[in-house]
Amino acid sequence: MPMKENWTPTIVAFCCNWCSYAGADLAGSSRLSYPANVKIIRIPCSCRLNPMFVLRAFQRGADGVILCGCHPGDCHYTTGNYYARRRMTLLFSMLDYLGIDRRRTRVEWVSAAEGAKFSATMNDFARTIAELGENVRLGDLRCKQE
Amino acid sequence: MIERARELLASGEVNRVLAWEKGENDFDRTPAVFTADNVDSLVYDGLCGPNLSKYLVGEMEKEGKILVFLKPCDSYSYNQLATEHRIDLEKVVPIAVGCRGKIDVEKLRAKGIKGILSVTEDGDKLLVKTLYGDAVVENRKEVLLDKCLACKGKEHVVECEVIGESEDTTEGDKFGIVAKLEAMTPDERFAFWRGELSKCIRCNACRNVCPACSCVKCVFDNPNTGVANKAAADDFEENMFHIIRAFHVAGRCTDCGECSRVCPQHIPLHLLNRKFIKDINEIYGGYQAGAEIGQRHPLENFDKGDCEPSVVHVRGGARK
Ligand code: SF4
Ligand code: SF4
Ligand code: FES
């Protein structure tokens, strides 16, 4: 894939307020780094993630989208993440079916105490996306033209 | 059928009948609501492809009961709408009608038959009158609607009076093409779908005809979503509209095939919905929307032992 000069991946991380968002906080306060191009968007629960948000993120230039929520069983709204899990499984499979690489989408469960896991996950995801290169598949091509 | 409709109208059990009538061309069949005055123009034959279930939703506000005729595949949509409380069973009298598969006039045209005036059935034969003389199609099976080749069987899933016989017209594995697409490389798949979806003119016919798409307020009518445009502004929007629509009906789509039937651009929309159905079947266990009233569909349900979304990474295609 032709790469623009100085291209760095843009990653959107949707994080549940109660766990992963706090996990990110913990990562920060424990001085664990995660890539600066991970843009965190706080959502009240993983099941708040409307599939449209994922598509929008891609449209506005994201190269990868990751959803982080409480571990199954630990959702603060009891079962939100169980629903989110099914939804995202089907959505990601559909995106893959349409030719949008399945490695660009991911779901991870990260609790508030797992700052280290948060940082490791983000670093790993950013590396994967960097290897995949720029996402051209679901972008608004009009805006991307130089 | 007309007799039965007339009887029920006369006895006062129903005051309206939802069925098919001739459209602008002699071979068009459109859904229509009849009363005792015009019930004589009701037709039912091999051309009656449209699924009537959805039209019931708009009839629910009116007084009195309505009689509806259901083909086997329509009965699934009927159940699904009843499950979603979009139709009130107290206000409907369903009668199941037999179906031997419905004719696709487009396929007649594809056979080179031009200037079609009318189509009549004679057993397995089709007699086609055209501007340029008559034509005969020996076997009606050659020109059935695509949705009839993925028929869910000849049984009606609504318990009611049955008029006429049905035939199962299924051909092969209906997930065959989905599996073929899954086996392609991402680039090929992307190119395939761009090729198809870029033809979309955003007429919204697929949404309007779909029995699962019966929300009073649809996201695509909300100008704030950015996907309500009549003409998709760019390729992203074209894809987005279809992904969102398929996702909204996932788990509720009965695979009735109406979307692909009405698409003026001949986009194989059922391949999107069928992908969801296939995934649901393979990941969460077999499920047929509309098989019974009151089922809880897979996306409003969960199991603690469900697999993680990373299965998508592992299987690429679909497998537990
Ligand atoms: S999406 Fe298509 S096949 Fe599914 S219920 Fe709607 S019209 Fe029928
Ligand atoms: S019916 Fe076909 S052309 Fe019309 S909006 Fe649906 S996919 Fe697009
Ligand atoms: S509250 Fe964190 S996933 Fe539901």
Side-chain angles (χ1 to χ4, degrees):
Chain A
M1 192 169 299
M3 246 189 247
K4 275 194 213 133
E5 254 177 84
N6 303 330
W7 172 81
T8 47
T10 308
I11 290 165
V12 176
F14 290 97
C15 292
C16 162
N17 178 39
W18 302 108
C19 47
S20 324
Y21 196 74
D25 235 10
L26 181 64
S29 52
S30 349
R31 315 232 164 247
L32 295 165
S33 70
Y34 63 86
N37 43 11
V38 174
K39 311 279 182 248
I40 297 184
I41 297 179
R42 180 162 65 143
I43 49 177
C45 171
S46 60
C47 75
R48 172 64 181 96
L49 187 62
N50 182 331
M52 198 112 112
F53 296 175
V54 176
L55 300 177
R56 266 289 174 253
F58 280 124
Q59 179 190 23
R60 302 277 156 85
D63 299 298
V65 174
I66 179 165
L67 166 66
C68 298
C70 312
H71 286 267
D74 295 349
C75 173
H76 288 56
Y77 307 96
T78 321
T79 51
N81 50 10
Y82 287 123
Y83 292 106
R85 183 162 66 176
R86 282 201 169 188
R87 278 179 213 149
M88 291 308 127
T89 307
L90 291 178
L91 178 69
F92 295 168
S93 173
M94 176 54 87
L95 290 180
D96 187 50
Y97 185 59
L98 288 158
I100 290 111
D101 201 299
R102 53 182 175 269
R103 285 168 294 179
R104 291 188 189 276
T105 47
R106 194 183 288 188
V107 173
E108 283 294 341
W109 312 120
V110 180
S111 82
E114 293 175 326
K117 179 169 179 194
F118 184 87
S119 136
T121 305
M122 291 304 158
N123 283 315
D124 178 59
F125 191 52
R127 208 173 309 119
T128 315
I129 302 296
E131 277 161 20
L132 286 171
E134 201 176 342
N135 179 34
V136 291
R137 291 281 170 74
L138 248 187
D140 182 339
L141 291 186
R142 288 174 317 164
C143 300
K144 282 213 167 168
Q145 275 154 16
E146 266 100 288
Chain B
M1 241 174 91
I2 301 192
E3 280 77 77
R4 191 71 185 111
R6 230 183 257 126
E7 251 171 63
L8 286 172
L9 283 167
S11 72
E13 192 170 343
V14 297
N15 62 7
R16 279 132 42 238
V17 178
L18 177 55
W20 302 266
E21 70 175 358
K22 251 184 210 159
E24 295 191 337
N25 288 316
D26 193 75
F27 51 83
D28 288 337
R29 297 290 176 269
T30 14
V33 177
F34 302 92
T35 57
D37 303 331
N38 61 353
V39 67
D40 291 330
S41 51
L42 187 161
V43 267
Y44 183 65
D45 57 14
L47 292 159
C48 293
N51 178 347
L52 298 180
S53 317
K54 180 172 190 174
Y55 300 89
L56 285 171
V57 175
E59 293 294 316
M60 287 299 104
E61 300 294 305
K62 302 183 187 158
E63 279 303 307
K65 287 193 174 189
I66 183 162
L67 169 65
V68 63
F69 291 107
L70 300 172
K71 305 191 290 288
C73 55
D74 304 349
S75 65
Y76 287 83
S77 314
Y78 177 89
N79 276 352
Q80 186 60 33
L81 284 164
T83 304
E84 292 164 13
H85 308 290
R86 299 311 307 277
I87 54 182
D88 179 356
L89 297 179
E90 302 283 305
K91 293 185 118 178
V92 192
V93 177
I95 290 188
V97 288
C99 176
R100 300 172 56 223
K102 301 296 177 211
I103 315 281
D104 188 348
V105 177
E106 289 294 329
K107 286 198 186 164
L108 286 174
R109 293 196 181 112
K111 276 184 165 300
I113 306 179
K114 298 265 147 50
I116 302 176
L117 295 173
S118 73
V119 182
T120 35
E121 290 170 280
D122 176 14
D124 277 342
K125 262 198 229 156
L126 292 180
L127 311 174
V128 189
K129 281 211 168 61
T130 77
L131 280 172
Y132 315 107
D134 295 353
V136 179
V137 174
E138 285 304 327
N139 191 350
R140 63 198 296 285
K141 287 221 163 85
E142 293 165 31
V143 291
L144 289 186
L145 284 167
D146 280 343
K147 67 171 185 174
C148 299
L149 305 180
C151 179
K152 284 181 283 297
K154 56 183 184 163
E155 303 300 331
H156 293 82
V157 287
V158 172
E159 265 192 56
C160 60
E161 184 183 330
V162 184
I163 302 179
E165 294 279 312
S166 294
E167 243 173 63
D168 188 346
T169 49
T170 318
E171 255 182 23
D173 175 14
K174 69 173 183 172
F175 293 116
I177 310 178
V178 178
K180 217 168 95 196
L181 279 167
E182 283 172 351
M184 290 180 179
T185 66
D187 285 330
E188 288 168 345
R189 277 200 295 260
F190 186 72
F192 171 83
W193 282 112
R194 283 308 309 142
E196 291 296 343
L197 299 181
S198 60
K199 294 191 289 192
C200 175
I201 54 172
R202 271 311 286 281
C203 65
N204 280 347
C206 49
R207 178 202 63 177
N208 293 351
V209 79
C210 174
C213 276
S214 52
C215 300
V216 183
K217 284 192 176 163
C218 173
V219 287
F220 300 121
D221 292 334
N222 174 356
N224 295 331
T225 55
V227 279
N229 305 13
K230 259 308 204 179
D234 52 70
D235 56 345
F236 171 80
E237 248 173 50
E238 282 162 1
N239 273 355
M240 175 120 159
F241 170 71
H242 293 283
I243 301 172
I244 294 289
R245 209 187 78 77
F247 197 85
H248 281 194
V249 300
R252 304 188 299 120
C253 166
T254 60
D255 200 14
C256 72
E258 285 286 274
C259 43
S260 305
R261 182 180 68 82
V262 298
C263 178
Q265 298 294 83
H266 305 298
I267 302 174
L269 295 164
H270 60 280
L271 294 181
L272 289 175
N273 304 306
R274 232 175 249 169
K275 164 69 175 166
F276 274 131
I277 298 177
K278 184 168 182 277
D279 277 354
I280 288 172
N281 285 347
E282 291 175 2
I283 307 179
Y284 303 120
Y287 181 81
Q288 168 63 54
E292 293 168 44
I293 295 180
Q295 290 188 115
R296 207 165 150 177
H297 80 71
L299 276 168
E300 54 178 19
N301 212 343
F302 64 84
D303 189 88
K304 296 212 165 120
D306 280 344
C307 54
E308 294 298 324
S310 53
V311 279
V312 180
H313 297 239
V314 203
R315 42 178 218 155
R319 207 131 297 111
K320 205 165 187 171

